[in-house]
Amino acid sequence: MELLSGADMIARFLQDEGIEYIYGYPGGAALHIYDALFRQDKVKHILVRHEQAATHAADGYARASGKPGCVLVTSGPGATNAVTGIATAYMDSIPMVVLCGQVASHLIGEDAFQETDIVGVTRPIVKHSFSIRHPSEIPEVLKKAFYLASTGRPGPVVVDIPKDMTAPTERYEYVYPKKVKMRSYNPVTRGHTGQIKKAVEMMLKAKRPVFYTGGGVVTGKASEGLTDLVKQLGYPITTTLMGIGAYPQSDRQCLGWLGMHGSYESNMAMHHADLIIAIGARFDDRVTNSTSKFCPTAKIIHVDVDPSSISKTVRADVPIVGPASSVINEMISLVQGHKIAHPEALTEWWEKIDGWRADREGKLYEPSKVGEALKPQEVIEALCRVTRGEAYVTTDVGQHQMFAAQYYKFDKPNRLITSGGLGTMGFGFPAAMGIKQNYPDDDVVCVTGEGSFQMMMQELSTCKQYGVGVKIVNLNNASLGMVRQWQDLNYKSRHAHSYMESLPDFHMLIEAYGFTAITVNTLDELEPALERAFADKHELVFLDVKVDPFEHVYPMQVPLGAMRDMLLSKTERT
């Protein structure tokens, strides 16, 4: 029988659970835990410079690997600084366990120094939360936390740990729990066979079908099965922002992604479809536009592991509750040996789609001319060429995020790492940091803007301490680009507080942290600068790329319209 203190139980549990990195920032309520981590060498603690960065780094790792990320913060401001990162993970269904120090049990409710009811604060933005009531329950609670975070619809779990629960003087029996029993939590492991049969019958009879797939395919590790199914049927497929890469974007059947800034052909195909096969997507407002005008001629099959997502915003004709992977595999077995009912209609449908594609050929943006500022689209296309489309690409939020999603072609899942639901500026850099530490021999690049980067740029210090060689491509238009775009379109170009009038000299700033910076002003400088940046996988390089400050992201859906209602440029609309 092994007797351990609560703090040592936490350290031992993380070892037994196979956690390699934990991201955090120390403080009084968590010091017993920090001391326990110091006395072992299997779990590596990464000292960030702000707790929000800890959550984003763990989140980035989780998105890239599919395994839960792990965070350790102290009570009060340490815990509240983590809230934005917890909400980011919650909105995108990312598995994460956040261990929060808390004031000693007898002080809870006394407004003690650095006390915050973090369970109460985070209740709306976690999958579940726990508060430790006795040291002996720590192994079981932590096992439940990791199980909850990573099964069913994944999400963040908060564990609140009062300081006296980790006191080194009190020791209890430690046993690593290999199994979890939770009477009230039984995530589904497969879909209803009758509903799946009904869905497949509809799929085979459809004349204008479209697959609409989301982040649930990526987190559900169902990309291979999805590719199989789509190939067998020969149907067009479009993805959400979170689902990018679940199906190879370079394949002819992929129409790109859909919604607010999705491709012209994907939005048009969705609007005119007679059957939408939605898998692991939640009909977010950034996809549907006005739900009353959404896909008016389409029947809808909706597959989701979370029953509360089905028919929440758009009514499903055939609802299927189940994990994407098992439902898709069952669909594949039912489709095999059957022919589609209307092959001639499918041929016509593809002719229509190819016509929409041809309409936009060569019209996506105006390339820069000699002496003009670079177009951000050109930067992303060059980045894709230099990295051969194989990098892990994280983004912050704004125009650069949309350009990265539009012009970098992802053929693998888990490669575009971006904050979709919450839209968190500051996410990209620490997320890249978390990925690079776990995949040191891969190219990891953060595509950012000067607004977003300044929110988390202190993490350059973390990268210096741990030798984290991410690449940072700053699309510098000296403004909050997406805010400015909306102001151009809706506020007669009244740019209220969207211009960054006082920016640092990024070149000097990066060098002050001890890293390499390259400033790019023209198109002929761009590709050599990118080649230089990616020459050494283990060196942090910052590219400050000066881009056209007046460029907009198109297509752009017309607010409150149907999916087909889009602005195609500053002068064209559908």
Side-chain angles (χ1 to χ4, degrees):
M1 185 171 75
E2 189 173 19
L3 298 178
L4 296 176
S5 71
D8 285 322
M9 284 186 188
I10 293 168
R12 177 66 62 81
F13 177 88
L14 294 174
Q15 292 176 18
D16 292 343
E17 190 68 12
I19 303 301
E20 190 177 356
Y21 290 103
I22 184 168
Y23 298 88
Y25 203 96
L31 283 184
H32 293 327
I33 305 170
Y34 270 89
D35 189 60
L37 288 171
F38 184 82
R39 288 182 278 103
Q40 57 84 54
D41 58 6
K42 288 181 183 166
V43 181
K44 301 175 187 73
H45 179 276
I46 305 300
L47 174 65
V48 295
R49 274 42 176 179
H50 190 290
E51 290 88 352
Q52 183 178 334
T55 52
H56 293 332
D59 182 329
Y61 161 72
R63 291 178 199 242
S65 68
K67 300 171 187 172
C70 195
V71 175
L72 173 60
V73 295
T74 192
S75 63
T80 56
N81 278 350
V83 166
T84 299
I86 294 168
T88 301
Y90 178 76
M91 288 289 279
D92 289 342
S93 305
I94 306 303
M96 182 195 296
V97 174
V98 182
L99 308 178
C100 295
Q102 181 57 280
V103 299
S105 304
H106 70 279
L107 293 173
I108 291 175
E110 300 287 326
D111 292 335
F113 177 65
Q114 291 193 330
E115 181 192 356
T116 298
D117 174 12
I118 199 61
V119 169
V121 168
T122 58
R123 200 178 300 279
I125 53 166
V126 294
K127 185 174 177 183
H128 195 66
S129 49
F130 295 94
S131 190
I132 301 295
R133 299 296 180 202
H134 192 274
S136 62
E137 68 182 32
I138 285 173
E140 187 185 354
V141 167
L142 292 185
K143 188 66 181 176
K144 285 178 180 177
F146 278 89
Y147 174 67
L148 280 165
S150 55
T151 55
R153 181 179 180 175
V157 176
V158 163
V159 183
D160 190 44
I161 309 169
K163 188 170 184 178
D164 51 321
M165 298 296 111
T166 59
T169 50
E170 292 185 34
R171 295 169 185 266
Y172 298 89
E173 184 182 356
Y174 172 82
V175 178
Y176 174 71
K178 290 190 169 64
K179 291 184 180 177
V180 174
K181 281 185 183 176
M182 297 186 74
R183 191 180 58 200
S184 58
Y185 178 72
N186 295 294
V188 290
T189 55
R190 57 193 303 268
H192 188 280
T193 299
Q195 291 292 88
I196 296 171
K197 281 180 180 170
K198 196 188 294 184
V200 168
E201 282 169 19
M202 285 175 74
M203 287 157 66
L204 293 170
K205 288 177 185 171
K207 294 180 178 178
R208 300 185 308 281
V210 179
F211 277 91
Y212 151 46
T213 56
V217 174
V218 177
T219 56
K221 301 178 178 64
S223 301
E224 204 174 306
L226 174 72
T227 305
D228 240 8
L229 178 63
V230 173
K231 284 282 184 192
Q232 277 192 47
L233 290 165
Y235 292 173
I237 177 170
T238 180
T239 75
T240 65
L241 180 70
M242 300 307 302
I244 285 176
Y247 185 91
Q249 285 195 303
S250 59
D251 187 82
R252 175 186 174 268
Q253 285 172 244
C254 185
L255 309 187
W257 53 288
L258 76 169
M260 171 71 80
H261 294 293
S263 73
Y264 174 72
E265 57 267 33
S266 66
N267 284 346
M268 293 299 281
M270 285 287 288
H271 182 81
H272 292 281
D274 70 344
L275 180 67
I276 306 292
I277 307 140
I279 306 178
R282 59 185 179 90
F283 293 86
D284 178 71
D285 63 290
R286 287 286 156 137
V287 165
T288 62
N289 209 352
S290 172
T291 51
S292 63
K293 299 172 186 174
F294 177 74
C295 303
T297 57
K299 295 278 188 190
I300 292 172
I301 296 164
H302 191 183
V303 179
D304 205 290
V305 75
D306 179 6
S308 71
S309 286
I310 294 179
S311 295
K312 184 177 179 180
T313 54
V314 174
R315 192 182 73 81
D317 296 284
V318 181
I320 302 170
V321 178
S325 56
S326 71
V327 173
I328 287 170
N329 288 339
E330 211 166 324
M331 284 178 168
I332 290 169
S333 63
L334 290 169
V335 163
Q336 279 166 353
H338 290 81
K339 292 183 178 176
I340 59 173
H342 305 285
E344 70 296 334
L346 185 63
T347 302
E348 285 175 24
W349 182 224
W350 270 113
E351 285 170 1
K352 189 86 172 158
I353 290 168
D354 288 338
W356 287 323
R357 271 180 170 153
D359 286 347
R360 300 304 300 154
E361 197 85 45
K363 298 180 187 173
L364 296 176
Y365 70 93
E366 286 284 335
S368 63
K369 298 181 178 69
V370 177
E372 286 184 346
L374 277 160
K375 292 293 169 68
Q377 299 94 323
E378 294 171 317
V379 181
I380 303 301
E381 286 178 332
L383 176 65
C384 192
R385 283 194 302 274
V386 168
T387 59
R388 301 167 305 286
E390 292 176 357
Y392 288 95
V393 179
T394 73
T395 80
D396 278 294
V397 171
Q399 284 182 322
H400 64 268
Q401 175 189 32
M402 298 296 105
F403 289 131
Q406 287 176 336
Y407 291 94
Y408 196 104
K409 296 305 171 195
F410 296 90
D411 283 344
K412 296 176 184 173
N414 308 93
R415 292 292 170 136
L416 175 63
I417 310 294
T418 192
S419 170
L422 196 66
T424 307
M425 292 174 70
F427 170 82
F429 179 31
M433 192 170 72
I435 297 165
K436 184 66 178 176
Q437 283 175 310
N438 288 275
Y439 298 97
D441 297 324
D442 286 287
D443 287 326
V444 181
V445 55
C446 169
V447 176
T448 188
E450 73 293 330
S452 289
F453 182 68
Q454 289 184 94
M455 292 196 169
M456 284 282 123
M457 65 185 183
Q458 75 282 343
E459 297 311 313
L460 287 164
S461 178
T462 307
C463 290
K464 187 68 179 172
Q465 181 172 343
Y466 298 99
V468 184
V470 301
K471 315 303 175 192
I472 303 159
V473 176
N474 183 37
L475 300 186
N476 190 342
N477 60 8
S479 67
L480 301 175
M482 191 58 84
V483 174
R484 180 184 44 72
Q485 177 168 332
W486 278 76
Q487 288 170 337
D488 284 340
L489 295 171
N490 299 318
Y491 299 92
K492 297 181 180 177
S493 294
R494 294 190 296 273
H495 298 139
H497 303 287
S498 55
Y499 273 97
M500 291 275 176
E501 294 177 13
S502 176
L503 285 171
D505 180 326
F506 285 110
H507 207 102
M508 291 180 70
L509 176 74
I510 301 305
E511 288 182 341
Y513 277 99
F515 296 120
T516 300
I518 306 170
T519 302
V520 178
N521 292 296
T522 61
L523 188 58
D524 61 336
E525 295 173 351
L526 176 61
E527 208 135 330
L530 285 165
E531 295 280 6
R532 160 69 187 88
F534 285 92
D536 182 348
K537 287 190 187 298
H538 305 292
E539 179 190 18
L540 188 147
V541 182
F542 184 98
L543 267 68
D544 189 26
V545 187
K546 303 300 170 65
V547 297
D548 183 351
F550 303 109
E551 189 67 6
H552 284 182
V553 180
Y554 293 109
M556 180 179 183
Q557 283 181 336
V558 177
L560 304 179
M563 288 200 76
R564 68 176 175 184
D565 298 326
M566 290 171 274
L567 302 172
L568 301 176
S569 72
K570 290 180 182 178
T571 56
E572 299 172 87
R573 64 176 285 171
T574 52

